[in-house]
Structures are given as C-alpha cells and as structure tokens.
Amino acid sequence: MFKPNIDKDELKNLPRITFPGQIIVANTIEDIENLIPIFSKEEVLGFDTESRPSFKKGKQNGVSIMQIATGELAAILRLKKTGIPDSLKDLLENPNIIKVGAAIHDDLKGIIKFRKFEPKGFFDLQHIAPTFGIEELSVKKLSAIVLGGTISKRQQLSNWEAEILTDAQVSYAATDAWVCREIYIKLKTANPQL
C-alpha cells in the first residue's frame, strides 16, 4: 500500500505541497482565545512547534511558536509572547481531539516549560508510520510517501522569534502542522483501526 522508502531523485520529481487555507498569526492571548472555539470543534488537528535555532553546541533556545491546523485554518501561536492561556491548556489536555505531529516528545517537553499540563489526545506519526511498513520518518519523506507530494524545509532554521515572521516562515510553519494532519487522515483511511 505504502512504499517503505523514497530516494532523493524521486523526492525531487514530486510536486510541492503547501497549506492551502487561511493562516493566522496569534500574537496575543486574545488572538488565541478567538481561535480555540474553532479548534475545539475539530476531531483531528495538525500540531508542530518551532524553535529559534542555536548554533552553539549544547545550547537550545526552547519553543518559540506552536502551530495548530485544521483542513482550512492554520494558526501560528507565538508562545514566547502569549504563554499558554487556560483555553489552550484545555485544548492540549482534551483527549477527544486528536493532535497529530511528528517527533512530538521534544515539542511537548518544550511547551510544558511555558506551563504544566497533561498532554492528551496526541499521536506521533513516527510511532504510527512503521505499522504501515513505512521506514522513512521525517515529515518531508512521510508526506512524499503518503500524500505523493513534498514540502519545503527551507525555513526550518530561520529566526522564529523575529518581531515579524516572513510570509515564507508563516507558510512553512502552517504547512508543517497541516501536513501531519493530512498524513494521519490518509493513514486512518487505509486502516480505520488506527
């Protein structure tokens, strides 16, 4: 059903996919409060975080932003400015809303530094994909194998704490969260027991 691997030449020839919906950058607690009712109605959300890169060995800067995506809306939550308000904490603790990401252990560890919470309803694609015989676990290669398209990782090492995020950063961040949701939905279609 799904190939276990994909090589660089195949990756190069695949179409580029980017998040097609509306993107909102949430700079304030009020921005987040306005988004939570929308996310709370969803069954499955894409999830990711980004951190400002550190080029010093052993130094990490911690999570700068958290991304949450539906099929039509992606939000870039600037946690360094907002922290985690009660409504967002409730969403992250809601076991009935599936939140899908890749390699989420470190993401969750980083978010918990803002505020303690009990993560519930989180699914890690890196734990799910191998049950389908998929050996590639990066989001880029998972999207290629499962969705038939590739995503750009160019903005990954950009400054996620810049006062104003660039359009390229915003698009990259939205796509990274959304694509996790889309991969999960396609896998779930292939195996409803997921």
Side-chain angles (χ1 to χ4, degrees):
M1 180 178 307
F2 298 108
K3 298 191 316 186
N5 300 296
I6 190 161
D7 65 37
K8 285 182 181 170
D9 289 335
E10 283 180 282
L11 268 180
K12 273 191 257 177
N13 294 319
L14 290 174
R16 175 76 43 88
I17 52 178
T18 56
F19 177 64
Q22 178 188 10
I23 305 171
I24 295 174
V25 178
N27 289 299
T28 67
I29 291 173
E30 185 181 6
D31 291 340
I32 293 174
E33 302 284 359
N34 291 333
L35 290 163
I36 295 299
I38 298 165
F39 294 139
S40 296
K41 291 179 189 153
E42 295 290 318
E43 289 180 28
V44 181
L45 297 169
F47 164 82
D48 194 22
T49 68
E50 303 296 336
S51 301
R52 184 167 58 93
S54 170
F55 300 103
K56 289 185 180 168
K57 192 174 180 178
K59 184 182 185 316
Q60 290 183 317
N61 288 314
V63 170
S64 303
I65 65 167
M66 177 169 62
Q67 307 100 277
I68 300 176
T70 71
E72 298 84 36
L73 173 69
I76 316 299
L77 312 180
R78 304 208 61 188
L79 297 184
K80 289 264 176 149
K81 293 182 177 191
T82 64
I84 296 183
D86 290 346
S87 59
L88 179 56
K89 178 180 182 282
D90 292 346
L91 181 78
L92 297 173
E93 292 182 330
N94 187 333
N96 301 315
I97 300 173
I98 294 169
K99 295 157 284 280
V100 185
I104 62 173
H105 177 74
D106 288 341
D107 292 334
L108 293 173
K109 245 171 59 177
I111 297 169
I112 286 172
K113 288 181 180 171
F114 287 96
R115 180 175 185 180
K116 296 250 184 286
F117 68 94
E118 194 63 47
K120 292 183 185 152
F122 283 87
F123 280 78
D124 192 330
L125 290 174
Q126 292 190 340
H127 296 171
I128 299 167
T131 67
F132 290 85
I134 302 170
E135 296 170 8
E136 303 283 6
L137 298 180
S138 72
V139 173
K140 183 175 183 128
K141 290 188 175 178
L142 280 171
S143 66
I145 291 168
V146 178
L147 303 177
T150 186
I151 59 172
S152 170
K153 297 301 265 182
R154 271 186 154 151
Q155 296 298 316
Q156 188 171 25
L157 295 178
S158 60
N159 181 7
W160 294 103
E161 291 173 25
E163 190 53 38
I164 297 172
L165 299 176
T166 66
D167 289 346
Q169 282 179 303
V170 169
S171 176
Y172 163 84
T175 299
D176 241 23
W178 167 75
V179 86
C180 289
R181 177 186 184 274
E182 299 305 300
I183 292 166
Y184 174 84
I185 289 170
K186 187 99 180 256
L187 293 176
K188 180 110 171 118
T189 302
N191 178 7
Q193 301 301 312
L194 190 61

